[in-house]
């Protein structure tokens, strides 16, 4: 087995998500680390993970990680909350020592901890909410904190279809976030990689009265910390970034514009055989 000490600075950073939404995290990483080559894998054949069982998400995540490790990745970023909550421990069990691992849950939990909030809301896919991971982790750090969690499954497909910052998305946001469960929150965690795209609309809904956290920059912070600690920062960009999807459609290619402001070249890669 490869040990972390055998990893090389010029290896890539592998990032994966159920689809295209993880590009919000990838974007934060591109911006912060211009010398790092990124290999992105979007499991568009199995999207949405938010509606899948934890076992299925673990199975897909293991295959994707194996593929990314075969491409010489020194770090794997699980840029999907549903996969981070269902599969992070399993991925460590199988692959720890083969790469550095970063999930999107822990950085978000830490960003909100010790800030003196009394009631925090979490919105995410059904899979993430069902896992109860945010409540468990937040309560472990601060047992007095009230944590409420709401599944908002329409948000991800709505954003993928290009509905954000318009009348329809405003109505859907209002419909979900008016839930009485969220009354009195002083902070909200956007625990899904798509949601940074509707952060401004959510802020408008709450009239700027609460703090809103997402997992873009905080994940880049952890990437930086881990690369520094292991002295694995690349000194020069090696080649060009690669973007793989398990199923290609024109609509996925189009959607990359929503997340990256430009259309990316997607390569279809079958890894399930
Ligand atoms: N990327 C997923 C997440 O962050 C949202 C989309 C899906 O359900 O696959 O949970």
């Amino acid at each position: 087995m490869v040990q972390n000490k055998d990893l090389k600075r010029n290896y890539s950073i592998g990032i994966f998500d159920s689809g295209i939404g993880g590009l919000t995290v990838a974007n934060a990483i591109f911006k912060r680390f211009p010398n790092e080559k990124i290999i992105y894998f979007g499991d568009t054949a199995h999207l949405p993970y938010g509606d899948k069982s934890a076992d299925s998400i673990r199975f897909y995540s293991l295959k994707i990680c194996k593929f990314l490790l075969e491409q010489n990745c020194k770090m794997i970023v699980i840029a999907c909350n549903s996969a981070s909550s269902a599969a992070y421990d399993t991925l460590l069990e199988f692959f720890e020592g083969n790469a550095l691992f970063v999930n999107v849950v822990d950085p978000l939990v830490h960003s909100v901890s010790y800030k003196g909030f009394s009631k925090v809301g979490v919105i995410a896919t059904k899979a993430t909410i069902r896992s109860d991971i945010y409540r468990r982790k937040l309560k472990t750090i601060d047992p007095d904190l009230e944590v409420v969690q709401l599944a908002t499954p329409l948000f991800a497909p709505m954003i993928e279809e290009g509905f954000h910052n318009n009348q329809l998305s405003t109505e859907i946001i209002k419909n979900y976030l008016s839930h009485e469960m969220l009354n009195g929150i002083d902070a909200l965690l956007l625990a899904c990689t798509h949601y940074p795209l509707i952060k401004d609309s959510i802020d408008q809904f709450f009239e700027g009265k609460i703090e809103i956290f997402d997992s873009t920059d905080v994940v880049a912070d952890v990437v930086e910390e881990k690369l520094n600690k292991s002295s694995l920062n690349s000194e020069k960009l090696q080649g060009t970034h690669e973007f793989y999807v398990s199923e290609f459609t024109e609509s996925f290619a189009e959607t990359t514009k929503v997340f990256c402001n430009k259309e990316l070249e997607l390569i279809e890669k079958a890894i399930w055989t």
Side-chain angles (χ1 to χ4, degrees):
M1 185 173 95
V2 179
Q3 290 300 322
N4 279 349
K5 64 181 168 42
D6 300 323
L7 297 172
K8 304 218 169 13
R9 282 175 179 275
N10 63 358
Y11 281 10
S12 306
I13 297 183
I15 303 179
F16 81 89
D17 176 40
S18 56
I20 308 296
L23 288 172
T24 55
V25 177
N27 248 336
I29 295 176
F30 295 142
K31 281 193 196 138
R32 184 84 65 91
F33 312 101
N35 291 338
E36 300 292 345
K37 176 175 167 176
I38 306 294
I39 302 183
Y40 184 91
F41 191 97
D43 191 8
T44 46
H46 299 119
L47 157 106
Y49 278 10
D51 294 341
K52 299 284 184 304
S53 69
D55 277 347
S56 295
I57 297 171
R58 281 192 276 273
F59 175 76
Y60 303 142
S61 301
L62 281 167
K63 287 271 191 191
I64 296 167
C65 260
K66 184 168 171 289
F67 167 74
L68 290 173
L69 291 171
E70 285 163 1
Q71 315 309 307
N72 281 342
C73 287
K74 60 189 170 192
M75 174 180 271
I76 307 281
V77 180
I78 311 166
C80 173
N81 275 269
S82 307
S84 291
S85 50
Y88 178 60
D89 292 344
T90 308
L91 294 177
L92 287 185
E93 242 173 72
F94 276 77
F95 297 124
E96 196 168 27
N98 289 246
L100 306 172
F101 279 84
V102 176
N103 68 58
V104 287
V105 173
D106 291 318
L108 195 48
V109 165
H110 285 113
S111 70
V112 81
S113 302
Y114 307 113
K115 292 258 164 73
F117 297 127
S118 52
K119 181 173 177 183
V120 168
V122 180
I123 55 170
T125 64
K126 288 190 230 170
T128 301
I129 298 300
R130 203 174 47 229
S131 76
D132 199 28
I133 195 162
Y134 279 94
R135 199 193 56 81
R136 283 188 283 117
K137 286 190 182 253
L138 286 164
K139 295 290 268 184
T140 302
I141 295 173
D142 180 358
D144 293 332
L145 183 68
E146 188 181 350
V147 181
V148 288
Q149 305 181 102
L150 181 70
T152 46
L154 275 184
F155 282 174
M158 170 185 97
I159 294 164
E160 292 222 359
E161 286 301 320
F163 293 102
H164 48 97
N165 304 325
N166 66 17
Q167 206 186 341
L168 182 70
S169 62
T170 305
E171 272 310 306
I172 295 176
I173 288 167
K174 186 170 148 206
N175 205 283
Y176 273 128
L177 302 187
S178 304
H179 198 293
E180 60 177 18
M181 179 200 280
L182 298 177
N183 288 350
I185 54 168
D186 34 31
L188 183 69
L189 302 193
L190 308 188
C192 173
T193 43
H194 289 62
Y195 299 178
L197 272 87
I198 52 169
K199 193 171 183 176
D200 288 347
S201 307
I202 292 177
D203 189 41
Q204 272 165 24
F205 173 80
F206 286 105
E207 297 172 338
K209 289 184 183 140
I210 64 161
E211 283 200 52
I212 302 173
F213 295 82
D214 70 57
S215 49
T216 53
D217 289 334
V218 290
V219 170
D221 291 342
V222 174
V223 168
E224 185 164 2
E225 226 173 78
K226 291 206 177 192
L227 288 177
N228 286 344
K229 203 166 157 206
S230 311
S231 303
L232 279 173
N233 320 65
S234 166
E235 279 148 2
K236 188 170 173 285
L237 181 64
Q238 309 284 328
T240 47
H241 305 312
E242 293 166 32
F243 300 93
Y244 294 98
V245 285
S246 48
E247 190 167 273
F248 178 86
T249 66
E250 281 304 332
S251 135
F252 288 132
E254 270 279 305
T255 309
T256 60
K257 275 194 255 171
V258 174
F259 293 94
C260 280
N261 293 326
K262 61 173 180 174
E263 194 168 320
L264 301 173
E265 194 194 326
L266 300 179
I267 306 161
E268 186 170 274
K269 193 84 194 165
I271 61 166
W272 313 110
T273 46

